[in-house]
Amino acid sequence: MTRRNKKNLIRIVVSAVLLAAAWLIPADGVIKLLIFFVPYGLIGWDVLWNAARNIVRGQVFDENFLMALATVGAFATGDYPEAVAVMLFYQVGELFQKIAVGKSRRSIAALMDIRPDHANVIRGGEETEISPEEVAAGETILVKPGERIPLDGVIISGSTSVDTAALTGESVPRACLEGDQVVSGTVNLTSPIQVRTTSVYGESTVSRILELVENASAKKSRSERFITRFARWYTPCVVVAAALLAVVPPLVTGGGWTDWIHRGLIFLVVSCPCALVISVPLSFFGGIGGASRCGILVKGSNSLEALAKVGTVVFDKTGTLTEGRFSVSEVRPTDMSEEELLALAALTEAYSNHPIAESIISAWGGTPDKSRISSEDELPGLGIRAVVDGETVCAGNAGLMELCGAEYTSPDRAGTVVHLCRGSRYLGHIIISDAVKPDSKAAMYELHALGAKNLVMLTGDSVSVAREVGTSLGLDSIRAELLPDQKVACVEELLARKAPGSTLVFVGDGINDAPVLARSDIGIAMGALGSDAAIEAADVVLMDDKPSKVALGVRLARRTMRIVRQNIVFALGVKGVVLALSALGLTNMWVAVFADVGVAVIAILNAMRALRIPKQK
Ligand code: ADP
Ligand code: MG
């Protein structure tokens, strides 16, 4: 508990004791007023002060005003104990709220624990401990077992296993060998490794995640905006209703003023909207926090709300539904040796970060000599054009060969084909194949079960490959041989066709699909190691690259929305009933206080459920 909360707790206890004492002391008239005023002043001075300050600022109608008016009114009608009690319980509710908000902030802060505190940099053969911000890209750092990896980089010596749970929610450690990428924020478990950093701290995975989560609550959902607007109108209406209730009946019937004023005051206490005003944002906050603990970073409540209504899910193929790690199954040169063709392909692909490029380079097995390349062009959806040893070489699909005017031959075998040509002379092709991710199929099944009616795969790859993946996963439709702008057109068409009220989610690995990510209702980028542009454009970022996390995200979003709805219905329902009873004179101040604070406490407790991590299927 924070110091402030502790102080408030002490204040509540002392006021409660003073209230009890005031009750027991037999007194009358002004003396009685004074002895009740002591606990009232102690427990309520800040509410009175805030109410007065807000009136001066012109923002009259808030909960401070309601509480001040109700309790001062109760004093005026001689209900001293009630006045103190209302204030006391109001403060109990406030304290509870602060603790709940603090707790959910801390749970997100548990994720914030990923912030590394130091880096052991090796400079001139000497190891020094400095802050991660001071390490440049390309430096070598030593990460000992038990230490948090401070910066993104590549292992240059040693091998170990790494705990990624804080980022991905995945509890099984990941084995990392020399040459593998490691991500900042994860923990080195078993042995020391040397890492060559690939970015500075400000651009590392850790800083990007922290930034994302910290900014998430700024993007409000429709429900939150509704509640804020609702409270703005609701409070003045209630005050007017309470005033009418206190004034009109006695005027009409003549007399009975105290009783009706009392009913008006009760009305004020019950109608305080704090349960809604706090619990709805708290539920979203919890939902975002719970999701981030599962490795799903949601950039705002609006995205969470939209995710819950998913109807169409569009997937990119390579690297999203499939591993994106191709194995070379055949090399067919026209007039050079197989090795030579593979080496040339690897060289042409040297600068590309496309999964195909990485697979070809690793199949060739060497490090391409980049000095032989004088220029390089990535043609999204087609392939690569590079100037190698002064001659233009292209590597890519059939579309690219047509662009180059090369006469190519297409193999009859299944697989993705990378054709090569020098100028317009065809050099042959390499057949590569990719495996579907192990959990893709289960993910599609679960999404269907969650009511996503239309699962679509878009790909730049050939129809035959697309069809194979599509049928093995049970997708509803596939579109193949698309260039990036055709993918955007497809998504636009699907957006126009989707069921009203449902949303379209696009899931991509971030390699050349930033435009589609931005265009869809919700863009989900997979693998936080993907490109920065994709993480920028996405609304949701998955820390790992499992398609099943999409389904988990939908489930978490639905749970959050369910909690929000429960709170709204519950709070409005209870208040409505108590308000009606109060108008009829069937309640008293005590019932009102319990209705108000009790509802707030229950709603907050319910909101906290959003933070829990569900069992992963
Ligand atoms: P997907 O839609 O499956 O993610 P992309 O749009 O990234 O695929 O690429 C579509 C096609 O373009 C690939 O199937 C491949 O034929 C070709 N291609 C793209 N980049 C490269 C590359 N670096 N090398 C060779 N071929 C490429
Ligand atoms: Mg792709």
Side-chain angles (χ1 to χ4, degrees):
M1 211 188 278
T2 62
R3 260 187 52 207
R4 198 153 162 199
N5 286 345
K6 257 188 213 134
K7 262 197 196 151
N8 271 330
L9 183 62
I10 294 171
R11 184 163 74 133
I12 287 168
V13 172
V14 172
S15 310
V17 171
L18 287 176
L19 171 62
W23 226 322
L24 295 174
I25 298 171
D28 264 322
V30 183
I31 308 283
K32 186 173 178 191
L33 173 79
L34 283 179
I35 55 178
F36 275 104
F37 198 78
V38 174
Y40 178 70
L42 177 64
I43 197 71
W45 64 269
D46 49 342
V47 173
L48 296 175
W49 169 248
N50 287 337
R53 199 182 48 188
N54 289 344
I55 290 173
V56 172
R57 285 187 188 156
Q59 305 160 323
V60 179
F61 296 109
D62 67 349
E63 56 207 47
N64 290 304
F65 176 74
L66 284 180
M67 286 301 139
L69 189 62
T71 52
V72 170
F75 259 102
T77 55
D79 300 308
Y80 309 142
E82 282 89 342
V84 183
V86 166
M87 217 34 125
L88 191 66
F89 282 106
Y90 175 72
Q91 296 285 23
V92 170
E94 288 289 292
L95 175 67
F96 199 78
Q97 225 173 74
K98 294 220 173 77
I99 294 174
V101 172
K103 181 164 178 236
S104 55
R105 275 201 199 284
R106 260 196 315 282
S107 307
I108 295 185
L111 176 87
M112 302 289 177
D113 248 5
I114 58 177
R115 197 188 294 277
D117 47 9
H118 70 275
N120 312 314
V121 71
I122 300 178
R123 286 177 181 160
E126 298 238 354
E127 179 196 330
T128 26
E129 192 177 305
I130 59 174
S131 124
E133 279 96 346
E134 293 165 29
V135 181
E139 286 200 279
T140 303
I141 53 171
L142 177 72
V143 188
K144 299 168 194 164
E147 281 185 337
R148 199 168 285 285
I149 299 175
L151 294 132
D152 297 346
V154 175
I155 302 185
I156 51 173
S157 96
S159 60
T160 186
S161 58
V162 171
D163 177 4
T164 64
L167 298 192
T168 61
E170 172 68 62
S171 53
V172 183
R174 183 183 297 174
C176 288
L177 311 176
E178 208 174 299
D180 284 348
Q181 261 184 350
V182 287
V183 187
S184 52
T186 57
V187 178
N188 181 10
L189 290 177
T190 44
S191 15
I193 46 172
Q194 286 194 10
V195 173
R196 165 141 329 119
T197 60
T198 47
S199 65
V200 292
Y201 180 72
E203 285 158 20
S204 65
T205 307
V206 164
S207 334
R208 284 205 311 250
I209 294 172
L210 293 177
E211 205 176 307
L212 271 182
V213 177
E214 276 158 16
N215 293 333
S217 43
K219 289 192 191 153
K220 297 274 175 259
S221 62
R222 283 237 311 275
S223 328
E224 281 170 289
R225 284 195 306 256
F226 167 75
I227 291 296
T228 319
R229 240 179 312 146
F230 175 78
R232 200 156 15 179
W233 285 101
Y234 169 85
T235 317
C237 288
V238 164
V239 174
V240 171
L244 291 177
L245 186 66
V247 174
V248 176
L251 277 185
V252 174
T253 59
W257 282 94
T258 336
D259 177 40
W260 287 103
I261 289 178
H262 196 73
R263 289 189 199 182
L265 293 175
I266 292 175
F267 212 83
L268 284 182
V269 174
V270 183
S271 54
C272 182
C274 18
L276 288 180
V277 171
I278 181 72
S279 79
V280 172
L282 192 65
S283 309
F284 278 108
F285 199 66
I288 292 175
S292 61
R293 298 205 297 180
C294 302
I296 303 170
L297 304 181
V298 183
K299 286 202 196 165
S301 325
N302 51 350
S303 311
L304 204 63
E305 196 173 38
L307 196 56
K309 291 188 250 169
V310 61
T312 309
V313 191
V314 183
F315 291 91
D316 189 35
K317 178 184 75 84
T318 313
T320 304
L321 291 177
T322 66
E323 298 276 7
R325 280 195 299 273
F326 294 85
S327 57
V328 171
S329 46
E330 233 177 295
V331 183
R332 288 194 188 162
T334 49
D335 57 5
M336 56 175 86
S337 76
E338 291 185 7
E339 269 86 86
E340 280 168 331
L341 188 69
L342 192 57
L344 182 63
L347 195 55
T348 312
E349 301 272 11
Y351 282 102
S352 171
N353 65 349
H354 196 278
I356 291 182
E358 285 168 6
S359 312
I360 288 186
I361 295 168
S362 81
W364 174 59
T367 316
D369 174 9
K370 288 187 179 172
S371 67
R372 290 171 59 191
I373 306 163
S374 50
S375 96
E376 188 256 10
D377 256 325
E378 186 116 30
L379 308 170
L382 292 171
I384 297 287
R385 181 168 53 210
V387 176
V388 180
D389 300 331
E391 284 177 293
T392 303
V393 179
C394 290
N397 54 18
L400 183 60
M401 292 302 109
E402 272 154 32
L403 206 68
C404 297
E407 272 184 42
Y408 61 95
T409 51
S410 278
D412 40 16
R413 290 195 36 180
T416 302
V417 187
V418 179
H419 298 281
L420 276 112
C421 65
R422 185 182 278 133
S424 65
R425 201 164 71 82
Y426 188 56
L427 299 177
H429 55 248
I430 298 171
I431 305 175
I432 55 183
S433 56
D434 191 7
V436 166
K437 282 184 191 165
D439 83 338
S440 288
K441 189 162 185 176
M444 298 309 119
Y445 181 81
E446 206 183 342
L447 281 170
H448 269 143
L450 285 167
K453 299 235 160 46
N454 199 9
L455 304 182
V456 185
M457 180 178 82
L458 303 183
T459 179
D461 209 342
S462 67
V463 177
S464 64
V465 175
R467 201 167 279 152
E468 199 182 303
V469 176
T471 38
S472 80
L473 292 181
L475 296 169
D476 298 304
S477 72
I478 52 160
R479 307 278 184 89
E481 293 174 18
L482 301 171
L483 298 176
D485 55 335
Q486 293 172 320
K487 288 188 185 174
V488 176
C490 265
V491 164
E492 272 167 1
E493 192 192 315
L494 289 166
L495 277 171
R497 274 208 340 237
K498 69 179 184 185
S502 76
T503 53
L504 180 146
V505 178
F506 176 81
V507 191
D509 66 345
I511 307 288
N512 73 36
D513 44 23
V516 206
L517 280 174
R519 187 64 197 82
S520 39
D521 292 328
I522 309 178
I524 302 187
M526 263 189 182
L529 281 176
S531 73
D532 290 359
I535 291 181
E536 255 331 276
D539 304 297
V540 176
V541 178
L542 303 183
M543 292 305 302
D544 51 16
D545 48 15
K546 289 189 182 156
S548 58
K549 285 283 169 78
V550 177
L552 179 61
V554 173
R555 276 199 288 147
L556 291 177
R558 295 247 173 102
R559 184 180 69 178
T560 307
M561 295 310 295
R562 211 159 42 233
I563 291 172
V564 167
R565 267 195 303 274
Q566 283 164 357
N567 279 346
I568 292 179
V569 169
F570 171 69
L572 290 184
V574 173
K575 296 210 165 191
V577 170
V578 180
L579 279 181
L581 293 179
S582 318
L584 297 173
L586 296 174
T587 56
N588 58 34
M589 204 58 113
W590 296 99
V591 175
V593 173
F594 282 115
D596 180 44
V597 177
V599 168
V601 168
I602 292 173
I604 290 168
L605 283 178
N606 194 29
M608 300 293 285
R609 286 196 308 131
L611 204 63
R612 285 210 303 249
I613 301 179
K615 280 206 192 77
Q616 287 188 29
K617 283 186 187 164

